[in-house]
Each structure stands twice: as structure tokens, then as C-alpha cells.
Amino acid sequence: MISLEGIVLAQEKMRGIVHETPLDYSKTLSDLSGNEVYLKLENLQKTGSFKVRGSYNKMMNLNQDELQNGVVAASAGNHAQGVAYSSKMLGIPCTIVMPKGAPIGKIQATKRYGAKVELYGSGVDEALVYAKKIQEETGAAFVHPFDDSYVIEGQGTIGLEILRQLPDIDAVICPVGGGGLIAGVAYAVKKMKPSIQVYGVEALACSSMSSSLKERKPVMVEAMPTMADGIAVKKPGDLTFQLVQEYVDDIFCVDEMEIARTMLMVLERNKLLVEGSGACALAALLYRKVPLKDKKVVTVLSGGNVDVSFISRIIERGMVEAGRYAYFSIVLMDKPGQLEKVLEIIAELQANVMQISLHHIGEHIFPGSAELKLTIETRDSDHIREVFQALNGKGYHVLNKISLHE
């Protein structure tokens, strides 16, 4: 099991190797949530995630005999980079098994740290099984992404930093996947100050920890696709489950809409790039899932490794879900002046046309007509409804609306 002494020792060992990340107060997020909100910026950590803390601490506690055949690990991306970076710092050969669907940016970043990357399985759980097979065949030391006492103690150093940076804190909210982060943070802060409330947040698409707590044992769950891929763990660890059961006050879930909107909000308002997993804790606070009011709250932004090609899609999805984008089509008479009339209606309502196309063949298109497809930028969901109502009022039937508020 872990100990507070072990967490303190881990902090000493990694001094100068990992960052003590900032604790940033946000007035905007405070006003929105009804609490005094501080962001623990682990998205600014070495390798872009908190994971480097646990992996480095684990490897620092392996002896030379254990390290002679290198290390092997499995991860969707952040643990992979943490292990690869730690291996590079310590001069240790490293093999990482990543799911076949892992983000390309995370795969490339892991390789750049000098690791050998093998792609296997559809998720972290399958990658873990294959990594253990490699361990048995090669004799390499296995660095578990969460269910290991040294890994948990490494993550627990975040709790010590938070308490030093904000001693009068009321609550901490952490993302939850396998449970290593929240187990370490909860243990550290509860041992130092038992009155602090600690809450975990999962993606609704893969709620393994909350399901396990209900069953009073670690259970495997079916997972749906989620942008919070870093915490999409189908079964929590045995050790992390025990610690969460004892030290965490409650676990909540957020859906994809709430994650996307929070990612966009943090990017737009706080100028911070945060991945889906990293946004979950804040999403739960902003969407009032966590029962906190007028409290001093720290939310851990656990990572910022967003694939470059995915950033535009995150922004677009977040804007759609915030009522800032709408996609729709209208069937017009195919004659001069019809397009101009539609655009005049949209312009009068001060919506911005982002994309436009005209089609003469399709399901709703009859001879003498054309289908106009539009993408518009709007202020909010009320503004979208106003545009649709104005178009319908002028006799234009709005079809194929893609707006999650309609």
C-alpha cells in the first residue's frame, strides 16, 4: 500500500525532473460555477500530462536487476509519453503498447522520446494484456498506468503541491479512469487535511469506477466511444479501487456534450488547450454535477495532449453544442434571386454564413428546384431558433438541421 512518506519522498526524487505546475484562479469559471475555482494546470506538465509523475517515481524505485531488460507499458497516450520520457531521462530501453486507435500525435510524441511503439487492440485494456505478454517474453519491468503503489504515490505529489499552493482549500475534483490520479491525490490531501472533499469525474461513455463502487468490487464495463480517451478504462485497478472506496467522497459522470463545451470554454476564456480527459473535472463543476456552492475548489486539468488534426473538430463540435454553429438545408426554386433572398434573411438577423453549397440532385430535389446547404455561425441556441423561424416564416422549409438545441 501507499504512504504519505512515500509521496513526500516521490516529490523529492522528481524535483527538477517534473514541473511544479501552476494553480491558476479563474474569475470567469468562478462566476459560472458559484464557487472560487482554481485550475491545477497539469496540461502544462512535462509531456503534457500528470502521468510523468507516476511513471518516473515507479522507475526510480526499480533496482538495476529489474531494469536490465528495459521497461514495457501500455497506454492510450499520456502514460506512454510519461514512461518514454522517464526512460529517456534514466537511459533505459522502453517498449510501449498503444491501442490501434490511439491519437497519431501521441504515438509520434512517444516515439520522439525514444520508445519503441507497438499498436495492439481497440482499447487500453487489450493493450495492457499484450504488454504483459511482452513482459513475460522479454523479462522487461512492467510499468502499470495506474494500479501500482509507486505510480499512485507519484500522482499523489499533485495533492501535496495543491495544499502548499492553497492551504485553505475546500475541495478537489479529479478526472477518473483507472484511478491512479484520484487515488494518489485523495490519499495525500485526506492524510494532510481530512476535511477536504475529494470528488472524481468519469466520462459517461466509460463509467467503470462508479459502476465498481456500486458493485463493491472492480468490474468490467462496456465502453462507448469518447473524446476523453485518456480515461476510457473499462475496469479500475484493485489497489486504486480500494483507495477510492476509502478516500474519495463521490464519483460523477459527464457526457460528450459537456466535455466538448468545457474544452471550448477553457480554450476561449482561459487560453488553455485541454484534452477531453483533462476537461472532465471542470465540466462536472460547471454543469453542477458536484454538490459544491461558495467553496474554494481546485479542479485538476490532467492533460493537454490534443491531436492537432482533432483540435478543429473539437472546436467545431463545441461550438455546435454551445449553439454557435448550425448546419441545415433549404429547397429553393431554381431561378435567379432565390439564393439572394435567403442570404438577406440570414444577414438581417446578423448570423454569419461560414459555408454554402447548391445541389441540383438529391432526395428532396425535384425538377425546377435546388437544395441549398448552409453552415452559419450564431450567438447561441436562441439565435439559431430565431434564424430557423424567420426562414420558415418566409416560406422556406428548413431541412436536415444539425443543431443539438433543435
Side-chain angles (χ1 to χ4, degrees):
M1 285 293 284
I2 71 172
S3 68
L4 187 58
E5 292 76 17
I7 297 173
V8 172
L9 185 59
Q11 188 174 52
E12 293 173 1
K13 287 180 178 178
M14 64 181 67
R15 187 167 285 118
I17 301 297
V18 304
H19 296 313
E20 178 175 315
T21 53
L23 192 65
D24 186 46
Y25 170 73
S26 173
K27 185 179 187 305
T28 298
L29 300 177
S30 296
D31 291 342
L32 288 170
S33 71
N35 290 282
E36 193 172 323
V37 178
Y38 294 81
L39 307 175
K40 182 59 172 168
L41 303 183
E42 285 296 296
N43 59 313
L44 303 183
Q45 184 54 267
K46 292 278 189 180
T47 75
S49 151
F50 75 97
K51 286 285 191 176
V52 67
R53 296 175 182 263
S55 57
Y56 187 81
N57 189 53
K58 170 64 176 178
M59 292 165 67
M60 282 294 292
N61 282 281
L62 294 172
N63 60 45
Q64 289 304 311
D65 289 338
E66 292 172 308
L67 291 173
Q68 64 179 349
N69 294 313
V71 297
V72 62
S75 167
N78 288 340
H79 180 60
Q81 291 177 69
V83 173
Y85 172 80
S86 300
S87 298
K88 184 177 182 180
M89 296 299 292
L90 297 170
I92 300 166
C94 172
T95 299
I96 305 292
V97 182
M98 303 179 75
K100 290 180 180 178
I104 294 172
K106 292 184 179 181
I107 295 172
Q108 292 176 334
T110 304
K111 289 180 176 179
R112 281 196 293 268
Y113 288 123
K116 176 186 176 184
V117 174
E118 293 199 27
L119 301 179
Y120 184 87
S122 60
V124 177
D125 303 272
E126 291 177 18
L128 272 171
V129 173
Y130 188 64
K132 289 179 179 177
K133 182 181 177 183
I134 293 175
Q135 176 199 20
E136 292 170 2
E137 293 174 350
T138 64
F142 183 69
V143 184
H144 200 283
F146 49 84
D147 206 33
D148 179 279
S149 59
Y150 290 124
V151 170
I152 295 169
E153 286 176 341
Q155 321 305 21
T157 58
I158 296 172
L160 297 185
E161 287 181 17
I162 290 171
L163 287 173
R164 190 191 65 76
Q165 293 167 322
L166 192 69
D168 57 342
I169 181 179
D170 295 309
V172 180
I173 310 175
C174 294
V176 179
L181 171 62
I182 195 167
V185 171
Y187 184 91
V189 300
K190 291 281 190 178
K191 288 293 182 182
M192 297 285 286
K193 190 177 177 182
S195 63
I196 295 175
Q197 294 173 293
V198 181
Y199 297 105
V201 182
E202 296 178 297
L204 185 62
C206 189
S207 55
S208 60
M209 186 64 80
S210 53
S211 297
S212 296
L213 290 171
K214 289 175 184 175
E215 296 294 328
R216 299 187 179 182
K217 63 180 180 180
V219 296
M220 181 79 73
V221 300
E222 291 292 327
M224 299 292 289
T226 174
M227 64 185 71
D229 60 290
I231 57 172
V233 179
K234 296 179 183 178
K235 184 179 180 181
D238 294 329
L239 179 55
T240 56
F241 173 77
Q242 292 172 26
L243 291 167
V244 168
Q245 207 174 28
E246 185 172 355
Y247 294 102
V248 175
D249 293 281
D250 209 346
I251 304 284
F252 302 94
C253 294
V254 288
D255 61 32
E256 299 301 294
M257 177 191 72
E258 292 159 344
I259 296 170
R261 286 188 183 179
T262 301
M263 291 176 70
L264 181 63
M265 180 178 293
V266 173
L267 181 62
E268 193 171 34
R269 303 288 183 90
N270 300 84
K271 314 307 178 210
L272 293 167
L273 182 61
V274 181
E275 62 189 90
S277 305
C280 285
L282 180 58
L285 187 64
L286 293 177
Y287 286 92
R288 310 295 173 106
K289 303 292 181 75
V290 186
L292 293 170
K293 182 70 175 174
D294 298 323
K295 300 293 183 181
K296 195 167 285 191
V297 184
V298 171
T299 61
V300 180
L301 303 187
S302 58
N305 291 318
V306 183
D307 196 278
V308 174
S309 64
F310 194 57
I311 294 174
S312 62
R313 282 180 278 166
I314 289 295
I315 293 172
E316 185 173 326
R317 182 184 175 110
M319 292 187 77
V320 168
E321 296 190 348
R324 302 273 296 280
Y325 269 178
Y327 310 90
F328 61 96
S329 62
I330 298 171
V331 176
L332 305 172
M333 295 299 295
D334 190 14
K335 61 182 184 179
Q338 289 298 304
L339 174 59
E340 184 181 359
K341 290 178 181 178
V342 171
L343 296 180
E344 282 179 359
I345 294 169
I346 294 171
E348 285 174 6
L349 294 172
Q350 298 185 326
N352 186 30
V353 176
M354 304 293 290
Q355 195 171 36
I356 185 170
S357 61
L358 196 63
H359 303 266
H360 293 85
I361 299 175
E363 180 184 353
H364 304 287
I365 306 172
F366 301 97
S369 67
E371 184 178 18
L372 175 65
K373 293 185 177 181
L374 288 157
T375 301
I376 63 171
E377 184 180 14
T378 50
R379 292 188 299 272
D380 51 32
S381 56
D382 289 337
H383 194 195
I384 291 174
R385 280 190 284 270
E386 188 180 354
V387 171
F388 288 169
Q389 287 169 2
L391 290 168
N392 287 326
K394 293 289 185 177
Y396 298 104
H397 183 46
V398 179
L399 303 169
N400 303 321
K401 294 178 283 187
I402 303 178
S403 167
L404 301 184
H405 301 274
E406 284 296 310

